[in-house]
């Protein structure tokens, strides 16, 4: 029992190495072991690459026969970007599979376990199911809700302001916080801001590629900058366009000038999407539908206030990451982080379940789950 739990923990830890590169696929780690001794380890390194089970089996080689496989998600049993893992497990002579959870993907959803059992392989479930589900929370949202997992991130003063009344927000937090945000961006598939943020800040919206990863994996990263711009006011040049590693998706409306739409459609690494507006803004639900169709599994929404408010009001937020700078602005005309409809009573507020807090110099980060997603 102790061996099993420890080896499932190892598989979960291995799976984390795929953050930023596997989405919209799940994070998966695998261990081949016999008598508690590890014979081979693997993890899903990037979308389209070999699955964790295959890597672990290849490292174990002939020693895999009669061994146990520990994996944090049900092995796939269908052909996709790669062949089914169940076939490889059966052919390797694995005697049992220990796994915390089923894969909710309709193409799997218990069928992988059934195939293994039909071929004489014992399947054991129930070890660390909560931890396994927590690790792949983003994937579960993708499968069950058919939309990207949404993280709302913003920086604000201690009195809850995200910019002055003129729109100036540089800088609320320090350099250490801003560098950490670039690491967070790497773990997502797309970042989204409204046009006001682009015009006011001329942002780069870039990510930091982890030094712990091999340089050749950089080409595996898929990253989109999604600009919400109903009237297509975005400049043709600017910091946004300077990173060749990313694509820019501009969501605009029929209010945009036709000639400007045409010009942007010819621009390299740029896609124009025409959406309907609702009260002069896009529906968060429709934004997410478009991005889901483009294989965006995790969306990082960074602002500004109008954009954040729209996602919040539509309850299209799975997680919040808030950075507090050590400043008090004290202005009645300053821009709040989240606006929206006025509430008469505190009972109308939404509770956020705090999952993590960190200090970056004098800045405080609070990461949590809005209770309307519980």
């Amino acid at each position: 029992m102790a061996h099993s739990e420890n080896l499932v923990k190892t598989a979960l830890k291995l799976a984390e190495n795929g953050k930023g590169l596997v989405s919209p696929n799940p994070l998966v780690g695998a261990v081949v072991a016999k008598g508690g001794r590890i014979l081979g380890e693997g993890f899903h390194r990037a979308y389209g690459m070999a699955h964790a089970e295959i890597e672990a089996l290849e490292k174990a080689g002939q020693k895999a026969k009669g061994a146990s496989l520990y994996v944090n998600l049900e092995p796939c049993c269908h052909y996709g970007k790669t062949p089914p893992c169940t076939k490889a497990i059966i052919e390797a002579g694995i005697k049992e599979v220990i796994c915390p959870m089923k894969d909710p993907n309709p193409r799997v959803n218990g069928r992988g376990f059934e195939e293994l059992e039909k071929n004489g392989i014992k399947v054991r479930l129930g070890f660390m199911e909560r931890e396994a589900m927590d690790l792949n929370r983003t994937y579960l949202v993708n499968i069950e809700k058919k939309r990207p997992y949404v993280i709302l991130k913003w920086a604000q003063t201690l009195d809850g302001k995200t910019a002055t009344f003129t729109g100036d927000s540089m800088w609320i937090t320090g350099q250490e916080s801003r560098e950490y945000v670039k690491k967070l961006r790497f773990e997502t598939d797309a970042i989204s801001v409204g046009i006001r943020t682009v015009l006011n800040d001329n942002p780069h919206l870039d990510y930091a590629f982890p030094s712990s990863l091999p340089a050749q994996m950089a080409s595996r990263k898929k990253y989109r900058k999604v600009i919400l711009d109903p009237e297509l006011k975005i400049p043709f040049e600017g910091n946004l366009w300077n990173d060749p590693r990313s694509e820019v998706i501009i969501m605009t409306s029929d209010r945009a000038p036709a000639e400007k739409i045409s010009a942007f459609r010819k621009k390299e690494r740029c896609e124009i999407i025409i959406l309907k507006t609702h009260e002069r803004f896009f529906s968060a639900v429709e934004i997410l539908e478009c991005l889901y169709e483009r294989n965006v599994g995790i969306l990082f929404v960074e602002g500004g206030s109008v954009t954040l408010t729209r996602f919040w009001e539509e309850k299209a937020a799975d997680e919040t990451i808030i950075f507090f700078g050590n400043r008090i602005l004290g202005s009645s005309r300053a821009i709040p982080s989240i606006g929206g409809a006025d509430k008469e009573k505190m009972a109308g507020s939404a509770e956020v379940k705090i999952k993590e807090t960190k200090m970056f110099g004098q800045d405080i980060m609070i990461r949590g789950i809005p209770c309307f997603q519980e």
Side-chain angles (χ1 to χ4, degrees), residues 12-314:
L12 287 164
K13 192 68 179 172
L14 285 165
E16 290 180 7
N17 292 317
K19 283 184 178 179
L21 293 174
V22 305
S23 181
N25 280 355
L27 294 162
V28 184
V31 177
V32 176
K34 191 180 288 185
R37 186 167 65 91
I38 294 175
L39 306 173
E41 296 180 339
F43 64 93
H44 186 30
R45 294 177 182 271
Y47 184 73
M49 291 185 73
H51 286 187
E53 300 94 319
I54 305 302
E55 188 172 284
L57 289 169
E58 286 178 352
K59 287 181 180 177
Q62 294 299 315
K63 295 176 184 177
K65 189 170 183 179
S68 300
L69 174 70
Y70 300 80
V71 60
N72 62 291
L73 187 69
E74 178 182 8
C76 66
C77 53
H78 62 279
Y79 282 88
K81 291 281 183 184
T82 59
C85 291
T86 49
K87 185 173 184 290
I89 294 167
I90 294 163
E91 290 175 351
I94 290 290
K95 72 169 185 178
E96 68 173 347
V97 171
I98 296 88
C99 181
M101 62 177 287
K102 287 199 300 186
D103 185 342
N105 186 329
R107 300 177 72 185
V108 188
N109 199 25
R111 293 185 182 91
F113 291 146
E114 287 175 14
E115 187 174 334
L116 294 173
E117 289 178 326
K118 282 178 185 175
N119 284 273
I121 297 172
K122 184 179 179 181
V123 173
R124 288 201 285 153
L125 296 170
F127 289 92
M128 305 184 73
E129 182 181 19
R130 182 180 296 175
E131 291 87 344
M133 293 182 73
D134 220 35
L135 176 70
N136 272 310
R137 181 177 169 84
T138 60
Y139 174 69
L140 296 178
V141 167
N142 296 166
I143 294 296
E144 293 166 5
K145 300 189 177 181
K146 298 192 184 322
R147 64 161 175 80
Y149 182 90
V150 178
I151 302 170
L152 302 188
K153 171 265 164 186
W154 68 87
Q156 65 181 38
T157 59
L158 292 174
D159 56 336
K161 306 304 193 313
T162 196
T164 68
F165 75 95
T166 64
D168 179 54
S169 61
M170 298 171 70
W171 296 101
I172 292 173
T173 54
Q175 185 67 28
E176 197 177 341
S177 293
R178 299 198 295 275
E179 290 302 318
Y180 184 71
V181 168
K182 289 184 180 181
K183 294 177 182 177
L184 291 174
R185 289 173 185 167
F186 172 79
E187 296 180 4
T188 71
D189 304 317
I191 182 171
S192 183
V193 298
I195 185 59
R196 289 184 189 176
T197 297
V198 175
L199 297 177
N200 289 341
D201 300 344
N202 188 23
H204 291 83
L205 303 181
D206 294 336
Y207 62 85
F209 189 81
S211 58
S212 58
L213 291 177
Q216 61 266 31
M217 293 298 287
S219 62
R220 293 277 180 177
K221 178 63 183 169
K222 189 82 170 173
Y223 186 72
R224 274 70 71 91
K225 301 173 184 179
V226 182
I227 312 303
L228 308 178
D229 186 6
E231 296 177 0
L232 203 54
K233 295 179 179 179
I234 185 171
F236 210 68
E237 304 294 337
N239 292 332
L240 201 66
W241 306 98
N242 292 341
D243 188 354
R245 303 174 302 177
S246 61
E247 300 172 10
V248 176
I249 295 175
I250 304 172
M251 293 190 171
T252 192
S253 72
D254 56 9
R255 302 204 305 273
E259 64 277 6
K260 201 168 181 182
I261 290 175
S262 179
F264 273 110
R265 281 187 167 147
K266 294 172 186 173
K267 192 171 176 66
E268 188 180 357
R269 295 182 291 105
C270 177
E271 181 184 5
I272 289 279
I273 298 174
I274 310 293
L275 289 180
K276 290 180 181 177
T277 54
H278 307 267
E279 297 176 1
R280 302 187 69 79
F281 198 79
F282 304 123
S283 158
V285 171
E286 290 173 13
I287 291 168
L288 296 176
E289 283 175 358
C290 285
L291 296 177
Y292 180 76
E293 290 169 0
R294 287 159 177 79
N295 266 355
V296 172
I298 307 170
L299 177 66
F300 202 56
V301 181
E302 278 209 32
S305 178
V306 173
T307 300
L308 290 165
T309 298
R310 193 69 184 207
F311 275 83
W312 185 263
E313 290 282 279
E314 291 189 40

